[in-house]
Amino acid sequence: MSTVTENARAMAQDAATRHEVELVLGGMTCASCANRIERKLNKLDGVEATVNFATEKARVAVTSDVTTHDLVEAVEAAGYTATIPAPPSAEPEPDTGTDRDHGGEADGLRTRLLVSLVLSVPVIVLAMVSAVQFTYWQWASLALAAPVVVWGALPFHRAAWANLRHGTATMDTLISLGTLAAFGWSLYALFLGTAGVPGMTHPFELSIEPTDGAGNIYLEVAAGVTTFILAGRWFEARAKRRAGAALRALLELGAKDVAVLRDGVEQRIPVERLAVGDRFVVRPGEKIATDGEVEDGSSAVDASMVTGESVPVEVGVGDAVIGATVNAGGRLVVRATRVGSDTQLAQMARLVEDAQTGKAAVQRLADRVSGVFVPIVIVLAAATLGFWLAAGVGAAGAFTAAVAVLIIACPCALGLATPMALMVGTGRGAAMGILIKGPEVLESTRRVDTVVLDKTGTITEGRMSLVDVHPAAGEDAVEVLRIAGALEDASEHPIARAVTTSARGRSDRPLPAVEEFANDEGLGVHGTVDGHAVLVGRPRLLEDWSVAMPADLAEAKADAEARGHTVVAVAWDGRARGLLSVADTVKQGSADAVRGLRALGLTPVLLTGDAEPPARAVASEVGIDPERVIAEVMPADKDHQIARLQEEGRVVAMIGDGVNDAAALARADLGLTMGTGTDVAIEAGDLTLVSGDLRAAVDAIRLSRRTLSTIKGNLFWAFAYNTAALPLAAAGLLNPMLAGAAMAFSSVFVVANSLRLRRFRPRVTA
């Protein structure tokens, strides 16, 4: 019993002392770096760490006396940097157009790339075209190539040194070894060999024969490989610039200031100074500053950007309201119940961050293979050197063969394989209105088997519109709509606007003036139009005014509600004159899109915060099975529903457009966002459909899969080329010009294969 008590006490103490620390990491170049930091942190007592390579952050749970300083020291001991994130400022930061974490990295790589490109092009031309090799061309090549190899490739050399200190090897190791070996041997050949003599030329000979290498230089290889790899790294850094943009966009949705009531007087203060219990005023069109409870007034609140509900919610005294939603109707006085990090908006921000942290970064194919390929190449180069020294061919011949192994294995085509296909694929996608965020996105598209679709704004238009008019017996439909539209014209409710817009569009006559307009709280409006006492609103409004609804209208009401429509009753002079059916209509092409997704082998699922009847009606219209409808889902539960499907073994794609979809988009294996949606959803997703047409999702997945296939083909060719050429290099039979030609052909093949993506054609034209 005492042991149990001690264990319970220890567990309680751990829970009490447990706290989380977030670290911003620097110096990582591949997924193996993240794994190394994670292992180093987890070796500390009472520390449980998760490192995300994509966001370059570590989330560390500490249940011991380990301090933040100890965590930073552990990361630095592994050869990387770690800092504590700066606390959020109350003042908004100026928008520089780049992410603070990755903007500097991308700009630095861009500078290295541009300088290296300018210097490398003449070096490559001089080496490959004998006709332009002037008397001292080799020394000019050395002057141009030296800054590229020393300064341009410095990030690779630093990473290789860090790898060496920790007894590991990555693609950076191979890049650094290959470029330095090529450059080092070129220096030997120029200063101690025969390559530096005036008039030396590199004849273009396609022959295989032993050579001592004293007259061969490899400056074009050293400079060219550095430039190609820098291009790939720069493109990758650009893709990572917006890693934290979803959270920033989400938090910026909230109100910036608020009219708080102090001693009955309104005072405008920053929302950060709002405290629980404060009473504040929200006028029509304003955002509600924070979560609270209505104390005075009534209105319709447009919560679609947070909850996904297409129909505004009627609120009155005692009802709860959510921060960042918009007051669409009358004046409200709200008492704050939650502020700051406790609000629903802040909780949704945490959901997005948790989902991004929990989603394992897709490791590049090249990095996976390099875990085996790089050590093998290094061992093979050392074995080649030892073999030829033992065979008695001399130090120059043995070193030439060993250097040839490193040079031919240096991943020139490999450096182009991913970024070239990605640049062409994303460029073609952009022309079609499809934005692919980065290479990590592509692998998910091939494995996806389930696609979850949000309803409001994704399958549907996201705004209310008039669907049908049901006149009572003996009444004219156009006149019913005209009278209702005239009265609703004085209201700011979104349903009222839908009725008014349709009334103006269907009638040649101008809408009559309204007198004695009044709002019936939560039910509708009444007033005088053309001398008639008119009621427009919920069917219950007619009951409150003792207006009976005839059987034909009651039947039409039941039918409309069964289809998920919102019913608006119209009456004047004590008689019901008709019903208006209002709904969030399905977008043109949504049914085609669902059929296209099925053709790709995907199972469509409808996920919405709306009620069951309208959700099932929309599902039936677009061709989604009724058992695949998940309705009445709160924003936080959308994320949980995605996780539940993943726990069932499904690989899930999510298509959405609202703030309430952001966490689910981040949690999903593949997130597709509508470009007509909110910035938060766009930033949280992996693919953006600019047009807002759901049919583009089919082409987006097709293009992503095609791009991934192209990358795999490029990688296969690059590694196959290396594998086939390595035995020739090890045998000492690799002529340097033949190696240069083969490497150039390998790169040309990768470029040409990638350019085939420009011929990709959409199957469905929006």
Side-chain angles (χ1 to χ4, degrees):
M1 180 66 73
S2 60
T3 304
V4 174
T5 304
E6 290 175 3
N7 289 340
R9 187 180 296 113
M11 292 174 63
Q13 186 175 359
D14 284 347
T17 58
R18 181 186 177 92
H19 64 281
E20 283 198 353
V21 177
E22 187 177 68
L23 300 176
V24 177
L25 305 174
M28 295 193 297
T29 59
C30 62
S32 60
C33 299
N35 293 333
R36 189 175 307 132
I37 296 174
E38 195 169 286
R39 289 197 303 269
K40 192 76 173 179
L41 289 171
N42 285 327
K43 286 181 180 178
L44 300 175
D45 291 335
V47 170
E48 184 178 341
T50 302
V51 176
N52 189 309
F53 172 60
T55 59
E56 296 191 354
K57 289 182 179 179
R59 179 167 293 177
V60 188
V62 181
T63 57
S64 63
D65 294 331
V66 174
T67 64
T68 303
H69 180 70
D70 297 331
L71 298 175
V72 172
E73 281 191 341
V75 175
E76 291 176 346
Y80 306 93
T81 63
T83 57
I84 305 298
S89 173
E91 294 297 324
E93 296 182 8
D95 183 10
T96 61
T98 61
D99 184 88
R100 290 175 302 174
D101 296 335
H102 299 292
E105 176 191 357
D107 292 341
L109 284 171
R110 181 174 180 271
T111 302
R112 290 183 192 273
L113 172 60
L114 291 177
V115 173
S116 299
L117 182 63
V118 170
L119 297 178
S120 297
V121 169
V123 175
I124 295 172
V125 172
L126 285 172
M128 303 303 292
V129 184
S130 301
V132 298
Q133 293 174 356
F134 52 89
T135 304
Y136 290 105
W137 71 272
Q138 67 273 43
W139 295 101
S141 294
L142 176 62
L144 293 170
V148 177
V149 177
V150 176
W151 176 77
L154 187 59
F156 311 132
H157 302 325
R158 285 174 177 164
W161 174 246
N163 293 333
L164 179 63
R165 285 165 46 209
H166 297 92
T168 59
T170 64
M171 196 57 69
D172 288 319
T173 306
L174 194 55
I175 295 168
S176 179
L177 273 177
T179 53
L180 289 179
F183 187 70
W185 185 256
S186 299
L187 291 178
Y188 164 79
L190 286 170
F191 288 99
L192 301 178
T194 59
V197 299
M200 186 278 286
T201 60
H202 260 181
F204 192 81
E205 298 174 352
L206 297 179
S207 60
I208 299 177
E209 58 184 15
T211 174
D212 65 1
N216 301 325
I217 59 175
Y218 303 92
L219 294 172
E220 78 284 0
V221 174
V225 166
T226 299
T227 302
F228 286 139
I229 304 300
L230 279 173
R233 291 291 170 85
W234 174 67
F235 191 78
E236 180 181 2
R238 284 184 64 201
K240 290 162 64 177
R241 271 188 170 187
R242 296 190 175 185
L247 294 176
R248 288 197 301 276
L250 185 58
L251 293 173
E252 286 171 2
L253 280 177
K256 301 299 184 289
D257 54 24
V258 57
V260 67
L261 287 172
R262 298 278 167 82
D263 298 326
V265 179
E266 290 186 26
Q267 296 180 13
R268 185 67 63 169
I269 64 171
V271 72
E272 293 83 7
R273 290 169 51 191
L274 197 63
V276 173
D278 281 347
R279 298 169 72 246
F280 59 92
V281 177
V282 189
R283 291 179 173 80
E286 289 185 342
K287 290 181 180 178
I288 297 175
T290 191
D291 296 358
E293 182 178 301
V294 177
E295 287 200 342
D296 184 34
S298 62
S299 179
V301 174
D302 181 1
S304 59
M305 63 193 309
V306 175
T307 66
E309 285 280 1
S310 55
V311 180
V313 180
E314 301 285 350
V315 297
V317 175
D319 291 332
V321 290
I322 302 171
T325 56
V326 178
N327 178 17
R331 178 181 182 272
L332 295 175
V333 176
V334 180
R335 179 175 55 82
T337 56
R338 289 186 294 186
V339 297
S341 60
D342 295 328
T343 65
Q344 186 165 335
L345 186 67
Q347 290 170 2
M348 290 173 66
R350 282 197 294 273
L351 277 175
V352 176
E353 187 172 25
D354 291 344
Q356 287 181 337
T357 303
K359 179 162 56 175
V362 180
Q363 200 174 14
R364 286 191 183 280
L365 295 176
D367 280 327
R368 293 180 191 166
V369 180
S370 70
V372 177
F373 183 70
V374 174
I376 288 178
V377 170
I378 296 173
V379 171
L380 183 58
T384 301
L385 177 64
F387 173 80
W388 287 114
L389 284 175
V393 300
F399 192 68
T400 298
V403 169
V405 169
L406 289 175
I407 290 173
I408 202 62
C410 200
C412 182
L414 192 62
L416 282 174
T418 297
M420 189 66 196
L422 190 63
M423 280 189 276
V424 177
T426 53
R428 179 66 189 126
M432 295 165 50
I434 300 167
L435 304 181
I436 304 173
K437 285 204 172 176
E440 295 84 1
V441 173
L442 304 176
E443 208 162 334
S444 298
T445 62
R446 181 170 294 278
R447 299 182 294 110
V448 164
D449 55 35
T450 302
V451 56
V452 176
L453 299 105
D454 172 54
K455 183 180 80 69
T456 305
T458 302
I459 294 179
T460 64
E461 294 287 353
R463 61 179 183 272
M464 306 302 289
S465 59
L466 185 70
V467 177
D468 204 356
V469 180
H470 308 277
E475 299 292 341
D476 179 61
V478 174
E479 183 65 12
V480 169
L481 180 59
R482 193 177 78 90
I483 296 295
L487 186 60
E488 293 279 43
D489 192 30
S491 173
E492 297 178 350
H493 198 288
I495 292 179
R497 287 197 295 268
V499 172
T500 301
T501 301
S502 183
R504 286 200 172 98
R506 296 193 190 187
S507 176
D508 296 331
R509 300 162 58 191
L511 299 181
V514 178
E515 298 175 356
E516 301 176 0
F517 174 86
N519 180 60
D520 290 270
E521 182 180 337
L523 295 176
V525 293
H526 67 270
T528 303
V529 179
D530 279 349
H532 302 293
V534 183
L535 302 173
V536 179
R538 298 173 185 260
R540 214 182 86 198
L541 177 65
L542 272 62
E543 296 176 15
D544 289 356
W545 285 73
S546 301
V547 177
M549 185 175 292
D552 58 333
L553 290 187
E555 184 178 343
K557 170 181 174 292
D559 181 61
E561 290 178 341
R563 287 182 287 156
H565 298 168
T566 299
V567 175
V568 178
V570 182
W572 63 78
D573 297 339
R575 284 180 53 196
R577 307 289 178 163
L579 297 178
L580 309 178
S581 293
V582 180
D584 183 10
T585 55
V586 171
K587 288 182 180 179
Q588 182 182 4
S590 290
D592 290 339
V594 171
R595 284 193 294 270
L597 293 169
R598 287 187 184 276
L600 291 173
L602 306 178
T603 301
V605 175
L606 180 63
L607 182 66
T608 179
D610 274 1
E612 191 85 18
R616 287 188 176 275
V618 168
S620 175
E621 188 172 345
V622 299
I624 296 177
D625 298 335
E627 62 270 18
R628 299 293 181 189
V629 175
I630 307 173
E632 300 179 15
V633 179
M634 296 301 292
D637 291 334
K638 286 195 174 186
D639 174 53
H640 298 154
Q641 291 292 342
I642 298 294
R644 181 182 62 79
L645 290 170
Q646 290 171 330
E647 288 169 2
E648 293 175 1
R650 297 178 181 272
V651 181
V652 182
M654 170 73 185
I655 307 179
D657 76 320
V659 177
N660 60 304
D661 301 322
L665 287 164
R667 174 75 64 187
D669 300 281
L670 178 69
L672 295 92
T673 58
M674 314 301 283
T676 52
T678 62
D679 290 342
V680 178
I682 291 171
E683 294 297 347
D686 302 310
L687 289 162
T688 300
L689 314 178
V690 176
S691 67
D693 191 323
L694 188 58
R695 290 175 291 185
V698 180
D699 290 321
I701 294 176
R702 287 180 55 238
L703 177 61
S704 297
R705 290 180 175 179
R706 179 79 61 83
T707 305
L708 178 62
S709 297
T710 301
I711 290 175
K712 287 184 174 180
N714 289 347
L715 291 172
F716 171 78
W717 170 260
F719 280 113
Y721 154 75
N722 289 134
T723 304
L726 277 173
L728 295 177
L733 300 174
L734 195 65
N735 179 280
M737 291 313 297
L738 181 61
M743 185 172 290
F745 177 74
S746 176
S747 300
V748 169
F749 175 86
V750 166
V751 172
N753 190 43
S754 300
L755 288 175
R756 292 192 307 124
L757 287 168
R758 296 171 64 181
R759 299 199 296 268
F760 179 88
R761 293 290 180 268
R763 287 182 179 174
V764 181
T765 303

